[in-house]
């Protein structure tokens, strides 16, 4: 698939003609509410069986060809390259599709296995209506082989609403986690309504992951964490309660998200995590932790100091880096999860935590700030899909911050107030996926389900294979 940024005056019909794709497929891939109305600067996913690659500093043609599973000569011919040894960063290369000619007796499963792709990929990219009927001489487009990653998604919705979210995107997930069981000072847990959620996860072959936390939106939880971390007996009681819930409800993994822990409790927090790992591993469960987005071991601040990256990397089975919320809902308008800031976090994280244990956080919502911004004034939070529809409604031109890899725009509402909106689109999703590939990470953790973002899921599937453990 490729991403096309809409220019002034372009129509969906023109794009369908240009790329040779049925208009209905573009509408479906982007879940367009009104195909006749597009925003200038809107990024559309175009479901075509070829792609483009932007050359990065230091890349060679051999590396690019290997990444996409095509011959170097095919790229040279398709792009009329005269000097294969000379590639300029920023150059866009057309990557031709691989073609397989079916031989007598071959099956789709055999062909898929040979090329390291799935049968479903072959069916979709070749519009095959009957997978059991392929004939000798038939030419099949072979999509690029894709890295295997794990994907987690949190949701704050419980009951049937959260279950429906898992049913909608479960095929893209390895783990799903309702947020959250809050701990109590006596080592108990405040219950949540998660039965339907867990059932939906199992139906989608998704591992349900229990989450425990010390904070709420009313209480940062520092003192509560201190109470638990200061008393081994309370920790034992807490872990007893956690394991009891996991056994009773069918959770198979635990995420510990203790935030705003006092710096003086750093060592005790590490010791608690080791106790948790010992107990969980004895039960056959997986332990993960959520970590504030640090850029150095010495980073100051209540959010950061007690989060010991090397200790979490040693103790936990994997960690979730909370690489979002730069564009805080009570702060000034800016990109919510800017790639340039995420890169700084990853540069430090990979020196302290094995790459195979790092899940990069990715927020999937938009924010709308009223201008001029007043400190403490809350921005409106909604979906990326609504962000595009709002741009169309107010006639705003969508711009793109290349450093943050994030789209944004401004508009004036009916009351004459100016707004600034930052959100995610197909381009920003691809930029984050490239980080996962570049750093060789375990995968992605989404915060938070419930905000429609169709381009993300289409492109996630186009760029990765998702490990299923359920």
């Amino acid at each position: 698939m490729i991403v096309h940024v809409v220019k002034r005056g372009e129509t969906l019909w023109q794009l369908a003609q240009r790329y040779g794709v049925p208009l209905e497929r573009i509408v479906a891939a982007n879940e367009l509410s009104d195909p006749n109305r597009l925003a200038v600067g809107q990024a559309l996913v175009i479901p075509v069986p070829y792609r483009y690659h932007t050359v990065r500093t230091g890349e060679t043609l051999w590396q690019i060809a290997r990444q996409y599973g095509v011959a170097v000569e095919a790229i040279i011919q398709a792009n009329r390259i005269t000097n294969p040894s000379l590639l300029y960063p920023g150059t866009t290369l057309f990557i031709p599709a691989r073609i397989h000619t079916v031989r007598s007796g071959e099956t789709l499963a055999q062909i898929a296995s040979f090329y390291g792709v799935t049968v479903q990929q072959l069916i979709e990219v070749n519009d095959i209506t009957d997978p059991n009927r392929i004939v000798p001489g038939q030419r099949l487009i072979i999509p690029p082989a894709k890295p295997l990653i794990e994907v987690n998604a949190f949701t704050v919705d419980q009951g049937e609403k959260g279950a429906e979210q898992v049913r909608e995107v479960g095929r893209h997930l390895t783990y799903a986690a309702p947020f959250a069981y809050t701990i109590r000072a006596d080592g108990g847990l405040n219950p949540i309504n998660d039965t339907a959620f867990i059932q939906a996860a199992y139906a989608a072959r998704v591992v349900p992951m229990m989450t425990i936390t010390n904070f709420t939106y009313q209480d940062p939880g520092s003192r509560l964490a201190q109470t638990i971390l200061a008393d081994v007996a309370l920790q034992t009681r807490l872990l007893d309660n956690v394991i009891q819930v996991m056994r009773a409800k069918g959770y198979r993994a635990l995420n510990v998200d203790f935030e705003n822990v006092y710096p003086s409790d750093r060592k005790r927090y590490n010791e608690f995590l080791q106790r948790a790992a010992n107990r969980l591993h004895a039960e056959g469960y997986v332990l993960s932790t959520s970590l504030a987005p640090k850029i150095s071991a010495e980073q100051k601040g209540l959010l950061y100091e007690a989060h010991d990256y090397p200790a979490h990397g040693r103790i936990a089975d994997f960690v979730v880096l909370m690489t979002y919320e730069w564009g805080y809902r009570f702060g000034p308008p800016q990109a919510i999860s800017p790639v340039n800031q995420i890169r700084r976090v990853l540069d430090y994280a990979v020196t302290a935590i094995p790459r195979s244990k790092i899940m990069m956080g990715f927020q999937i919502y938009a924010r709308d700030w009223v201008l001029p911004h007043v400190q403490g004034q809350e921005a409106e939070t909604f979906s990326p899909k609504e962000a595009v529809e709002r741009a169309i409604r107010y006639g705003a031109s969508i711009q793109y911050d290349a450093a943050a890899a994030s789209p944004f725009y401004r508009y004036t509402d009916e009351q004459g107030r100016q707004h600034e909106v930052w959100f995610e689109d197909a381009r920003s999703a691809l930029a984050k996926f490239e980080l996962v590939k570049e750093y060789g990470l375990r995968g992605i953790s989404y915060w938070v389900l419930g905000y429609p973002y169709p381009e993300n899921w289409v492109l996630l599937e186009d760029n990765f294979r998702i490990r299923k453990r359920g």
Side-chain angles (χ1 to χ4, degrees), residues 185-211:
D186 63 356
L189 295 165
N190 293 315
I192 62 174
N193 178 20
D194 52 4
T195 301
F197 181 95
I198 295 169
Q199 291 173 346
Y202 274 106
R205 294 181 54 232
V206 174
V207 176
M209 182 161 66
M210 181 182 180
T211 300

Side-chain angles (χ1 to χ4, degrees), residues 115-256:
Y115 287 102
V117 298
T118 67
V119 170
Q120 188 60 35
Q121 287 176 258
L122 292 179
I123 291 171
E124 290 176 358
V125 79
N126 292 281
D127 292 323
I128 295 172
T129 55
D130 185 351
N132 297 313
R133 294 190 64 185
I134 57 172
V135 297
Q138 183 176 349
R139 289 165 60 83
L140 298 177
I141 296 170
I142 307 299
K146 298 178 286 192
L148 180 67
I149 65 168
E150 292 189 354
V151 178
N152 172 61
F154 291 99
T155 178
V156 295
D157 293 312
Q158 299 173 13
E160 183 54 36
K161 190 173 182 180
E164 181 58 32
Q165 292 166 7
V166 173
R167 284 192 283 268
E168 287 176 0
V169 300
R171 67 185 182 279
H172 306 295
L173 304 178
T174 312
Y175 301 92
F179 192 85
Y181 282 82
T182 52
I183 65 173
R184 298 200 304 258
D186 63 356
L189 295 165
N190 293 315
I192 62 174
N193 178 20
D194 52 4
T195 301
F197 181 95
I198 295 169
Q199 291 173 346
Y202 274 106
R205 294 181 54 232
V206 174
V207 176
M209 182 161 66
M210 181 182 180
T211 300
I212 60 172
T213 191
N214 63 314
F215 80 97
T216 66
Y217 292 114
Q218 291 77 37
D219 182 356
S222 304
R223 290 186 178 180
L224 176 58
Q226 186 175 61
T227 298
I228 296 294
L229 297 176
D231 190 326
V232 174
L234 285 177
Q235 294 174 41
T236 300
R237 189 178 305 158
L238 174 60
L239 291 172
D240 286 344
N241 286 322
V242 165
I243 290 172
Q244 181 180 357
V245 171
M246 294 181 75
R247 287 174 178 167
K249 295 198 171 184
Y251 281 111
R252 292 170 50 197
L254 175 70
N255 176 262
V256 179

Side-chain angles (χ1 to χ4, degrees), residues 373-421:
H373 174 68
V374 177
Q375 188 64 34
Q377 180 175 289
E378 185 174 3
E380 182 185 1
T381 301
F382 48 85
S383 72
K385 190 171 188 290
E386 166 60 23
V388 172
E389 292 175 353
R390 192 167 294 193
I392 294 171
R393 188 160 63 248
Y394 288 100
S397 294
I398 297 171
Q399 301 176 65
Y400 191 71
D401 184 316
S406 182
F408 68 99
Y409 61 87
R410 288 187 174 185
Y411 73 93
T412 302
D413 67 18
E414 293 80 357
Q415 286 77 45
R417 299 177 303 173
Q418 194 172 31
H419 294 245
E420 185 167 317
V421 177

Side-chain angles (χ1 to χ4, degrees), residues 244-270:
Q244 181 180 357
V245 171
M246 294 181 75
R247 287 174 178 167
K249 295 198 171 184
Y251 281 111
R252 292 170 50 197
L254 175 70
N255 176 262
V256 179
D257 181 11
F258 281 14
E259 301 187 25
N260 307 305
V261 176
Y262 291 130
S264 57
D265 286 327
R266 174 183 170 121
K267 182 173 182 291
R268 285 187 284 268
Y269 186 26
N270 292 344

Side-chain angles (χ1 to χ4, degrees), residues 275-286:
R275 292 187 185 98
N278 294 343
R279 293 285 304 277
L280 291 168
H281 290 162
E283 298 280 340
Y285 297 141
V286 170

